[in-house]
Amino acid sequence: MLSVVKSRVSLVFQFFMLCSSFLYAQQSGVLGLRVGLSQSNIYGSFVDYIGNFVPGNVPPYRPTDKQGFEFAALGYYSLGKALELNYGLGFIQKGGTLNNRDLGYTVDPTLNYLYIPIGINFKPIQLERLSVHASANLTTNIQLSSEQSYFVDYETAKNNKVIFGYSVGGFLRYKLTEKLVLQGDVQFLGDFNPFFTSSEQNENFEMKTNG
């Protein structure tokens, strides 16, 4: 049990360090760039359908995470001592992999998005150089390109190119100098609407991402 906890703490630490922002501090807030890794997965009725396609398959096949890349220009506008308006424009990769080995069929989407987050950051802890923040955002994801090889197998398949979603998480911000700030964050992202829909044998299926 202890080794599992250590492993998870290590994973969070590595992800935290890899998803970092360099920010320029101003009187009204901060501006900067974030570069890091994204990790996401797929879920929904289509994933359940493919994972359970072979009768007697217990437990069903489940999807695995896909790692991608994230780059964003960020802005934080001060709304007071403890609140900030968060906004930005960036690029993010999402997806996941489901391999039903009995069926010999793989669902492996890679989705590239222009994404626009806007939300609120709450700052419960402020020290001399270090501050702790909680964040909640609404996101608009506009698909730039995608790889969905399974798409041709379904005549009614639809690729939704605009996805509305959300992100919640937290970050640490450390003031290096009066003007330069280092920020490391961990966010959980989800979709409100599916990127993939289809109908098969009078059933409707959909697929979303989270991570």
Side-chain angles (χ1 to χ4, degrees):
M1 179 67 180
L2 184 58
S3 64
V4 173
V5 172
K6 287 182 177 178
S7 176
R8 289 180 178 174
V9 170
S10 175
L11 180 63
V12 169
F13 178 77
Q14 291 174 38
F15 183 77
F16 185 74
M17 290 298 102
L18 288 170
C19 197
S20 300
S21 307
F22 285 95
L23 307 172
Y24 177 74
Q26 297 179 313
Q27 209 167 28
S28 59
V30 291
L31 298 172
L33 298 174
R34 178 168 67 200
V35 178
L37 297 179
S38 63
Q39 184 167 302
S40 60
N41 211 331
I42 50 176
Y43 72 100
S45 54
F46 183 71
V47 173
D48 297 335
Y49 171 66
I50 297 298
N52 288 281
F53 194 84
V54 177
N57 201 20
V58 181
Y61 288 106
R62 303 305 304 160
T64 57
D65 292 348
K66 175 170 286 191
Q67 286 200 346
F69 178 75
E70 178 184 359
F71 175 83
L74 301 173
Y76 301 90
Y77 184 80
S78 177
L79 299 175
K81 288 186 177 180
L83 288 178
E84 289 178 328
L85 174 67
N86 167 39
Y87 54 94
L89 179 68
F91 169 85
I92 191 169
Q93 292 178 318
K94 299 181 182 182
T97 301
L98 173 63
N99 182 15
N100 187 323
R101 292 185 295 275
D102 290 335
L103 186 62
Y105 193 80
T106 299
V107 175
D108 186 26
T110 298
L111 310 163
N112 300 312
Y113 290 107
L114 175 73
Y115 79 103
I116 307 167
I118 184 168
I120 295 292
N121 298 329
F122 172 62
K123 181 171 55 177
I125 299 174
Q126 174 67 67
L127 304 177
E128 184 178 357
R129 287 184 174 272
L130 180 69
S131 58
V132 179
H133 301 247
S135 173
N137 302 277
L138 295 176
T139 62
T140 301
N141 302 270
I142 302 170
Q143 191 181 108
L144 301 175
S145 63
S146 70
E147 296 177 15
Q148 301 182 69
S149 58
Y150 53 88
F151 211 87
V152 296
D153 299 330
Y154 301 90
E155 292 183 1
T156 60
K158 182 180 178 182
N159 176 34
N160 298 314
K161 294 193 173 184
V162 178
I163 304 297
F164 299 103
Y166 62 91
S167 68
V168 293
F171 56 89
L172 297 178
R173 185 179 291 167
Y174 184 79
K175 184 185 289 186
L176 297 172
T177 68
E178 287 302 313
K179 294 294 184 181
L180 186 61
V181 178
L182 176 64
Q183 179 174 298
D185 62 287
V186 176
Q187 299 283 332
F188 177 84
L189 299 96
D191 297 340
F192 289 128
N193 58 306
F195 69 87
F196 172 88
T197 58
S198 183
S199 298
E200 186 77 11
Q201 299 176 352
N202 297 321
E203 289 189 65
N204 295 321
F205 299 104
E206 67 175 33
M207 194 161 39
K208 300 179 182 179
T209 66
N210 62 15

